[in-house]
């Protein structure tokens, strides 16, 4: 079974996707980490062609060893850098095969990102599109960072999330919209457990419908 989980920054899709992976015993890939690793690798290059070239080279050279520094990769700055390299077509092309191979491995997988249900695994068995309002998303991300001892400027964080949403929504190479056959799950008013229960109900219901009458 392939489960595709998409949604905007800090919507809770990572927590839900990893919870689904644990529940169904499936391997899990957070595809945002790939873009974050490439974004950080290219961050030192001057804006413009040098940045683009550095990002393409980093995407082509990416392997699992670049995904281990979770603290750096999950920083707010890495998120902003990720959204800058995510608009570069050859970067997306370079990361496609890795994601597609993960999605189509034997036994299935859970992937979360922005274009999993639309581009990486349009054939997924179940697609979820997670949303939550911007303020709730900012507050969740702020608490995550504070739990790590990071001092958070909520005003700046809110604007960072909005900036990232805007860049993602205008991304000419993305597929950052809800796939027609994706189930919408709004987590604004749900805690993690309630959101996971709702997601599991959607997956079980979809798979039961696909299996047909018992
Ligand atoms: O999901 P996360 O917030 O970690 O993603 C960081 C950034 O990477 C996103 O804002 C988006 O620009 C990019 N991304 C993408 N396609 C994906 C996953 C992430 O373009 N499948």
């Amino acid at each position: 079974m392939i489960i595709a989980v998409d949604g905007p920054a800090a919507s809770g899709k990572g927590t839900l996707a990893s919870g689904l992976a644990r529940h169904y015993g499936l391997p899990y890939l957070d595809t945002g980490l790939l873009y974050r690793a490439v974004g950080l690798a290219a961050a030192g290059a001057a804006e413009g062609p040098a940045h683009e070239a550095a990002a393409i080279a980093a995407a082509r050279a990416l392997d699992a060893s670049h995904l281990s520094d979770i603290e750096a990769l999950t920083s707010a700055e890495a998120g902003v850098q990720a959204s800058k390299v995510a608009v570069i077509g050859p970067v997306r092309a370079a990361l496609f095969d890795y994601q597609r191979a993960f999605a189509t491995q034997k036994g299935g997988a859970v992937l979360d990102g922005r274009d999993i249900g639309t581009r990486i695994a349009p054939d997924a068995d179940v697609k979820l599109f997670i949303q939550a309002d911007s303020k709730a998303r900012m507050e969740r991300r702020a608490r995550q960072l504070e739990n790590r001892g990071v001092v958070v400027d909520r005003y700046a964080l809110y604007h960072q999330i909005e900036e990232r949403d805007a860049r993602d929504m205008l991304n000419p190479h993305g597929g950052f919209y809800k796939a027609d056959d994706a189930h919408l799950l709004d987590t604004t008013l749900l805690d993690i457990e309630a959101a996971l229960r709702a997601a599991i109900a959607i997956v079980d219901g979809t798979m039961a419908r696909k299996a047909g009458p018992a």
Side-chain angles (χ1 to χ4, degrees):
M1 169 170 70
I2 304 175
I3 305 177
V5 183
D6 289 302
S11 55
K13 63 186 186 309
T15 310
L16 276 181
S18 60
L20 288 172
R22 262 195 314 279
H23 182 80
Y24 293 104
L26 293 169
Y28 163 56
L29 179 65
D30 170 357
T31 64
L33 288 183
L34 310 178
Y35 289 92
R36 286 167 178 265
V38 173
L40 286 183
E47 291 280 323
H51 176 257
E52 196 164 318
I56 296 168
R60 290 185 178 151
L62 194 81
D63 64 38
S65 69
H66 299 106
L67 304 177
S68 54
D69 188 351
I70 293 296
E71 189 145 332
L73 290 172
T74 52
S75 68
E77 172 59 17
V80 172
Q81 294 302 335
S83 69
K84 289 185 183 167
V85 299
V87 298
I88 304 168
V91 166
R92 302 198 77 82
L95 299 180
F96 180 89
D97 289 347
Y98 185 91
Q99 297 174 82
R100 181 71 193 153
F102 194 93
T104 55
Q105 67 188 287
K106 198 163 174 278
V110 181
L111 291 85
D112 81 58
R114 298 291 189 292
D115 60 348
I116 308 303
T118 48
R119 298 252 160 99
I120 303 297
D123 50 349
D125 299 287
V126 188
K127 299 179 186 177
L128 292 163
F129 192 88
I130 313 301
Q131 75 180 19
D133 76 30
S134 309
K135 192 152 170 282
R137 294 191 280 132
M138 179 280 289
E139 195 51 46
R140 278 182 202 155
R141 188 47 57 87
R143 296 219 187 105
Q144 263 174 10
L145 294 169
E146 282 169 350
N147 284 341
R148 281 194 221 150
V150 177
V151 177
V152 175
D153 172 347
R154 283 176 160 64
Y155 184 79
L157 185 60
Y158 184 83
H159 283 285
Q160 246 174 16
I161 288 179
E162 296 253 290
E163 180 195 336
R164 205 135 73 81
D165 281 353
R167 202 179 281 121
D168 285 347
M169 270 170 334
L170 297 173
N171 188 335
H173 307 288
F176 300 151
Y177 47 85
K178 180 185 153 310
D180 288 341
D181 52 349
H183 300 265
L184 187 65
L185 178 58
D186 191 315
T187 64
T188 306
L189 301 174
L190 302 180
D191 62 19
I192 292 170
E193 289 75 24
L196 185 56
R197 275 197 303 277
I200 289 170
I202 291 171
V203 174
D204 287 348
T206 306
M207 294 309 282
R209 265 193 307 281
K210 286 193 173 180

